[in-house]
Amino acid sequence: MRLLHTSDWHLGRSFHRVGMLGAQAEFIGHLVTTVRERDVDVVVVSGDVYDRAVPPLAAVELFDDALHRLADLGVPTVMISGNHDSARRLGVGAGLMGRAGIHLRTEPAACGTPVVLSDGHGDVAFYGLPYLEPALVRHEFAVEKAGHETVLAAAMDRVRADLAGRPPGTRSVVLAHAFVTGGQPSDSERDIGVGGVAAVPAGVFDGVDYVALGHLHGCQTLTDRVRYSGSPLPYSFSEAGHRKTMWLVDLAADGAVTAERVDCPVPRALARLRGTLEDLLADPALARHEDAWVEATLTDPVRPADPMARLTERFPHTLSLVFDPARTADDPEVSYARRLAGRDDQQIAEDFVAHVRGTGPDPHERTVLRDAFDAVRADDAEREVAR
C-alpha cells in the first residue's frame, strides 16, 4: 500500500504579513497531482490543518476544495486534528465525510478505533491520534499524571489492544501530532510543553508498522518507521535551511517500509543575511538572494538611518529587520529580547525570582511556577475548545 504522508498545512497562516493562501492553494494542487501521478492509495494528514481554531473563510474554502478534489480521485484520506486546530470544528460532519472516503479523526476516545483499508495483501489499520492536550484528556485515559508521555502511552495501549484482536498479518499505521524526542524544532511551532516536558520518546509508538507524525515543521526521520513530514511551506525564517517535502511511503505485505521524499512547490526562497548595512548592500556574493524573502540582521554598532528603505532597494522582499550590534552579554545596552533568547517561560520566571530576591526558587517554588504555567496552558486550550 502506498501512502502520501503530509501535515502542518496551517491554512490561513501568513509569513511575516505576506499572505500565503495562494502558495497553500498551489501546494494543494501539487498534492492532488502527486496522488494521481504516483498511484497513491491513501493520503494521511497528521494535524494542524488550519493555523488557528477559528480559521478565516478563505482557508475553510481551500480546505473544502482540497477534500472535494481528493474525494473525486477516489483515494481515501485519513486526517487528524493538531494543536492549532479546533478538534470539534474540524470534526463536524466527519460521519458524512467518511462515506466519501475522507476520514477525520478528532476524538481522543476513538484512538483505538481504526480506519481499516485493504489492498491485495490484506488489511491496513489506520489509527488516528489527534493532538492530546494532557490536562483535557487525562480522565479519558485514566492517567494519574497529566503529561504528554502518559496520555500518548495510554492511547497507544488502546491501539495495540485493538491490533492484537485483528487477523494475523494486519498492518498498522498511526497518525499522531506530538513532539517526539530526537526531532528538531523551528521557531514557528507553538510550544506544547507540560510540566517543563514537551518531548515523548519514540518508543511510545512501538508495535506498529509506520508512524506518520505532525507538529514539527522540518521533514525528519527519527527511525525507519517513525517520521515527520514537516510543513509543506515555511512559516519562519528558522526554516530557511529546510527542504519542504512530503513522504511517499510504501508499506509492503510484511509491514516493511520504504520511503521517498517528494518536493513541494517553493513560492520564494528564504535568506538570512547578517552584517553591517553597507556590507549587505555592497557584497556581490549576495546577489543570489535579491529575489528571496530576506531576514536581515544588522551588526552596525550604531543604528543606521533608514535601514529598511535602503535594504529594500537591493532586496525588495525584505520582511524582517533585526539589530544585533556586537556587545558583551552583560552590556546594559543589550536588548531585553536578546537576554531572553533561548529561555522558556519557566526559566524566565525563575530568573525573575532570582533578580528580585537575590536567590533562585527552591524545588517547591519551581513546582508552583510549573503548575501555574500548565494551568494557564490548559485554560487556553479549554477556551479554544469552547469557542
Side-chain angles (χ1 to χ4, degrees):
M1 185 172 286
R2 174 163 285 184
L3 323 175
L4 186 63
H5 167 200
T6 178
S7 72
D8 295 274
W9 295 356
H10 289 278
L11 300 181
R13 186 164 183 164
S14 298
F15 181 77
H16 287 268
R17 302 176 304 282
V18 174
M20 296 290 279
L21 203 64
Q24 291 168 341
E26 185 179 1
F27 160 69
I28 294 298
H30 172 68
L31 181 146
V32 171
T33 298
T34 301
V35 170
R36 183 175 59 248
E37 294 183 351
R38 299 299 300 271
D39 297 320
V40 171
D41 297 306
V42 186
V43 177
V44 296
V45 186
S46 299
D48 281 354
V49 175
Y50 293 120
D51 189 57
R52 57 181 188 262
V54 184
L57 179 58
V60 177
E61 291 173 339
L62 180 55
F63 178 61
D64 181 65
D65 176 65
L67 297 189
H68 276 86
R69 294 170 73 179
L70 288 169
D72 287 345
L73 290 176
V75 174
T77 297
V78 184
M79 182 178 296
I80 62 172
S81 51
N83 60 299
H84 280 252
D85 299 309
S86 165
R88 290 174 64 182
R89 281 186 170 80
L90 189 63
V92 169
L96 289 173
M97 290 186 210
R99 299 179 189 178
I102 306 295
H103 305 280
L104 293 169
R105 289 295 183 264
T106 63
E107 292 291 336
C111 285
T113 304
V115 176
V116 180
L117 303 172
S118 300
D119 63 7
H121 303 292
D123 290 345
V124 181
F126 290 80
Y127 297 90
L129 278 56
Y131 172 67
L132 302 174
E133 176 60 42
L136 301 184
V137 302
R138 59 178 300 183
H139 298 299
E140 167 63 35
F141 293 104
V143 296
E144 293 183 6
K145 184 178 180 182
H148 286 287
E149 183 174 353
T150 54
V151 297
L152 268 173
M156 282 302 301
D157 285 343
R158 293 188 184 183
V159 168
R160 285 184 283 264
D162 179 85
L163 191 58
R166 295 191 174 275
T170 299
R171 290 158 290 165
S172 54
V173 175
V174 165
L175 290 72
H177 196 86
F179 185 0
V180 178
T181 303
Q184 296 298 314
S186 63
D187 292 343
S188 53
E189 300 112 3
R190 182 183 296 170
D191 177 35
I192 59 172
V194 172
V197 179
V200 300
V204 164
F205 300 104
D206 286 351
V208 296
D209 293 309
Y210 184 71
V211 181
L213 293 174
H215 180 56
L216 300 185
H217 288 182
C219 182
Q220 301 170 61
T221 300
L222 303 186
T223 74
D224 286 344
R225 298 185 182 275
V226 182
R227 300 171 188 262
Y228 281 101
S229 65
S231 61
L233 294 165
Y235 294 113
S236 72
F237 276 103
S238 66
E239 299 168 57
H242 287 188
R243 174 187 164 199
K244 295 300 185 181
T245 60
M246 303 176 285
W247 282 113
L248 193 66
V249 178
D250 286 319
L251 192 61
D254 62 355
V257 170
T258 56
E260 171 192 346
R261 293 177 72 177
V262 177
D263 290 301
C264 296
V266 179
R268 192 178 297 278
L270 305 186
R272 306 184 91 174
L273 309 182
R274 182 182 181 89
T276 66
L277 178 60
E278 295 304 327
D279 285 346
L280 297 185
L281 295 177
D283 188 349
L286 301 182
R288 67 185 189 277
H289 300 306
E290 289 175 357
D291 195 45
W293 279 322
V294 168
E295 177 189 71
T297 299
L298 300 185
T299 59
D300 301 76
V302 177
R303 184 173 300 208
D306 300 321
M308 181 62 89
R310 296 172 65 189
L311 276 168
T312 53
E313 289 180 3
R314 183 180 189 188
F315 307 103
H317 303 288
T318 301
L319 300 181
S320 176
L321 183 58
V322 180
F323 294 97
D324 188 21
R327 292 192 175 106
T328 61
D330 57 357
D331 190 316
E333 295 299 318
V334 172
S335 72
Y336 181 69
R338 186 177 173 189
R339 292 199 301 272
L340 297 184
R343 294 189 172 115
D344 60 27
D345 292 340
Q346 178 83 14
Q347 292 169 321
I348 293 169
E350 291 182 13
D351 287 348
F352 176 76
V353 172
H355 174 72
V356 299
R357 194 172 66 184
T359 60
D362 60 31
H364 171 70
E365 290 169 331
R366 288 192 182 95
T367 299
V368 170
L369 288 170
R370 185 177 302 116
D371 290 346
F373 284 122
D374 289 349
V376 170
R377 187 194 333 280
D379 182 65
D380 286 345
E382 288 176 345
R383 287 175 185 273
E384 286 204 359
V385 167
R387 289 175 67 184

